[in-house]
Amino acid sequence: MYAIIETKGHQYEISENSKIRVNNIEGEIGTQINIDKVLLINDDKNLLVGNPYVNNAKVVAEIVSKGKGKKVLIYKFKGRKKYRRKRGYRDQYVDLLIKNITY
């Protein structure tokens, strides 16, 4: 059984007892969150496709860890004008453990 969910504008293919890395979600490590934006559910017998979401479907996940990704550098440059700007940032992420998928 697998499902496709949407969180923070990104779509992820998940299955039970799998880990995914998503953009930062509020909550402490060890708390459970419910994701109700389920786009598709496929078990061996049924295929449920939402319009845009599957009714009464939800995914229960647990926050396992939090962290920061690799640094992304932004460099602006204009030739012959002595204009140079160097900036960087690191995206924050959350690792989720998928507990169960219900529909």
Side-chain angles (χ1 to χ4, degrees):
M1 170 186 238
Y2 72 91
I4 297 177
I5 62 169
E6 178 185 345
T7 177
K8 296 273 187 167
H10 293 87
Q11 297 176 1
Y12 301 95
E13 181 180 343
I14 60 167
S15 60
E16 291 184 357
N17 299 322
S18 65
K19 284 186 179 180
I20 60 170
R21 179 170 285 180
V22 299
N23 287 341
N24 197 17
I25 296 176
E26 293 183 15
E28 298 297 321
I29 296 174
T31 59
Q32 289 190 350
I33 59 170
N34 294 323
I35 301 169
D36 58 350
K37 293 184 178 182
V38 180
L39 301 170
L40 180 135
I41 294 178
N42 185 12
D43 58 1
D44 295 334
K45 299 172 186 165
N46 297 332
L47 176 67
L48 300 173
V49 179
N51 187 14
Y53 305 117
V54 178
N55 294 331
N56 300 324
K58 72 175 183 176
V59 174
V60 177
E62 179 182 348
I63 297 176
V64 178
S65 66
K66 291 186 168 191
K68 291 184 179 180
K70 290 186 173 183
K71 181 172 272 196
V72 178
L73 293 177
I74 297 105
Y75 190 74
K76 296 181 182 181
F77 172 80
K78 293 185 181 177
R80 296 179 285 165
K81 305 292 185 205
K82 292 188 180 179
Y83 177 82
R84 291 168 181 85
R85 300 290 183 264
K86 184 177 179 182
R87 288 225 158 150
Y89 72 94
R90 293 173 69 183
D91 277 335
Q92 294 183 353
Y93 65 84
V94 173
D95 288 330
L96 296 178
L97 176 65
I98 306 300
K99 294 289 188 173
N100 62 7
I101 301 167
T102 57
Y103 60 96

